[in-house]
Amino acid sequence: MALQHDVLLFLCFFPFANSLYKQWIPDTNFENATNWDKGSIPCGSDQVVFLAHRKVSVYVETAHAITGMNLPMDGEFILTSGAGFSVRDGGDPGCGSGITAQFKDCESLKWFDPSLWVAATTVEDLHRGTYKFSVHEESVPCWFDDVVFQEATSFRVDVSSNHDVNVKSISVLGKKFTSNSEFSNFLSSGSGKLQFHGSSSLNIGGAGCSDNTGCVCGNSVNRDKICANVTCESLGCRKPLLPVGHCCHVCGAIANVQFSSDFNFESYRQRLQHLFLSMHKYESIQLAMSKVLQEQRLLGVIPFGSSQEIQVLLLDQNMGQDAGKLAEALARDIAKDVHNHGSNLGISAVEFKASSGASSSDAAGNSAGLVASAVLGSLLVVSLLAVITVLYRRGIVKLPRMPRIPSLSKWKNSSDIGELGGPMDQGFVNPMFDKPTMMPVEPGLYRTETVNSIALTQSGVHFVNPVYDESDFNS
Ligand SMILES: *[C@@H]1O[C@H](CO)[C@@H](O)[C@H](O)[C@H]1NC(C)=O
Ligand SMILES: *[C@@H]1O[C@H](CO)[C@@H](O)[C@H](O)[C@H]1NC(C)=O
């Protein structure tokens, strides 16, 4: 009964569904060695060079002695108290190479690159580095997520997309923006323009996800952008799986959970964490849980709609022959848990498939009825088609002439339905999935930005100091 107790506790702690905190990784800080071509912070006899035709906001935390500095077309230094630059004639032979130290080009870092984000359930977890694994589409912020740009960092992110980008909140330099008007003010400020660029409009202040059973992330409209720079590994397992929302096939297991209105997304995630992932044998497993739209297919071919379900993706770190075996064992344990406790958890059924080729159809408990009716339905359709085919072949039944509508021409082509399972799967259009999304294409928020809005000269450097000049964001 201790378990039930835990679940109740979780319900109290996590009233709000599956929203996460998503933190942008790369920064443009002066003191981050990875931002310099020589791999270390410039000092002493170094000549500091910013690419001339770039715009950049650079956070500086300490005082630096350097030999000289080439400044970019447009930029700002965000100086904390005590930070600054002094130019030392002749340089300091004790430090630096005596040549140039060039700041890296941050122009191509994209909001939709899933490798540039980490996710966690709380801000504390972000600080601790306790990150959540997600499918690629959900590594990038969803409309209900809180976005965090780490405190005490500057950054530059390209938010280009054909769609509006919506999130619940955005934190920049320790200030959390939750209203869109406030954030637009920031975006039109000098810092805002240097840190966010690109063609789409970035909106915040959505209500967030208030559905306890979780919300669908909706990033599939940007799937092309999200997957553009993902490299998939070559896989050793027999039947690699393609999880919904992921860019790559994987070795592992996927459990698909059917839920009722009593289901609580976050408490179930906690349950899996505490019941299974904390076990020694499963500690290497990566688990990504999301609410997804699953296409319903008759005979595995004919789509007839979509339903929401919870996808639990399980990956292990094993390679070669063993890849996915441990994940499969966990999927079986999860199915067993649902079989025993599902009704208390608001779960009506679970199915899993593994990259070994195994699936839950043999071990189906709750879903036996569902499977049986699906099989029965399939048999009915098959026999119906067979009868029609025979009658058609014998000339007893004639197909009506098809009107020449483009979308139906494929039907005509495949009127040779004698070859079941052949070209049949190509002719169906599922309105749920194939309709182009009618999102307005916003005119660029940033196009109007004036070049050289902040002049950087050797004599005077404009800077925004977040410690002393908070009003700069709101003005
Ligand atoms: C420096 O930048 C890299 C990548 O941009 C990031 O992973 C790392 O955490 C940063 N280092 C520090 C100390 O913030
Ligand atoms: C992403 O991929 C495109 C084309 O596939 C390539 O041109 C670009 O350099 C890549 N960007 C990064 C940051 O890897």
Side-chain angles (χ1 to χ4, degrees), residues 108-110 113 228-229:
S108 60
L109 298 178
K110 294 196 167 55
D113 186 340
N229 284 81

Side-chain angles (χ1 to χ4, degrees), residues 49-91:
V49 176
F50 290 93
L51 288 170
H53 295 290
R54 293 299 190 210
K55 302 179 181 185
V56 70
S57 169
V58 178
Y59 193 89
V60 189
E61 270 179 310
T62 58
H64 297 273
I66 50 175
T67 301
M69 192 185 289
N70 301 11
L71 293 166
M73 171 176 79
D74 189 3
E76 69 175 0
F77 287 118
I78 302 175
L79 304 172
T80 57
S81 71
F85 300 101
S86 55
V87 174
R88 196 172 290 176
D89 229 0

Side-chain angles (χ1 to χ4, degrees), residues 361-410:
S361 43
D362 43 311
N366 278 339
S367 54
L370 223 147
V371 170
S373 58
V375 168
L376 219 83
S378 312
L379 283 176
L380 257 170
V381 170
V382 170
S383 38
L384 201 74
L385 285 176
V387 167
I388 292 175
T389 309
V390 169
L391 294 181
Y392 176 67
R393 284 261 165 93
R394 298 196 175 160
I396 296 170
V397 166
K398 287 224 161 61
L399 286 180
R401 281 184 83 82
M402 292 285 173
R404 289 202 68 84
I405 299 171
S407 66
L408 284 178
S409 58
K410 281 181 186 166

Side-chain angles (χ1 to χ4, degrees), residues 28 50-58 71-76 103-108 155-157 190-198 446-454 456:
T28 54
F50 290 93
L51 288 170
H53 295 290
R54 293 299 190 210
K55 302 179 181 185
V56 70
S57 169
V58 178
L71 293 166
M73 171 176 79
D74 189 3
E76 69 175 0
F103 199 72
K104 77 168 181 202
D105 187 2
C106 338
E107 208 60 17
S108 60
F155 55 91
R156 184 159 172 84
V157 51
S191 278
K193 283 188 221 167
L194 289 170
Q195 298 186 327
F196 296 92
H197 67 113
Y446 311 94
R447 293 242 173 82
T448 53
E449 65 186 345
T450 46
V451 171
N452 279 328
S453 59
I454 299 170
L456 274 181

Side-chain angles (χ1 to χ4, degrees), residues 408-452:
L408 284 178
S409 58
K410 281 181 186 166
W411 273 89
K412 262 184 90 110
N413 295 343
S414 57
S415 62
D416 183 12
I417 43 176
E419 279 162 40
L420 260 185
M424 285 203 57
D425 53 340
Q426 290 160 13
F428 295 84
V429 175
N430 184 340
M432 298 297 290
F433 287 89
D434 291 342
K435 221 179 261 172
T437 322
M438 298 301 188
M439 297 273 274
V441 177
E442 284 289 316
L445 227 197
Y446 311 94
R447 293 242 173 82
T448 53
E449 65 186 345
T450 46
V451 171
N452 279 328

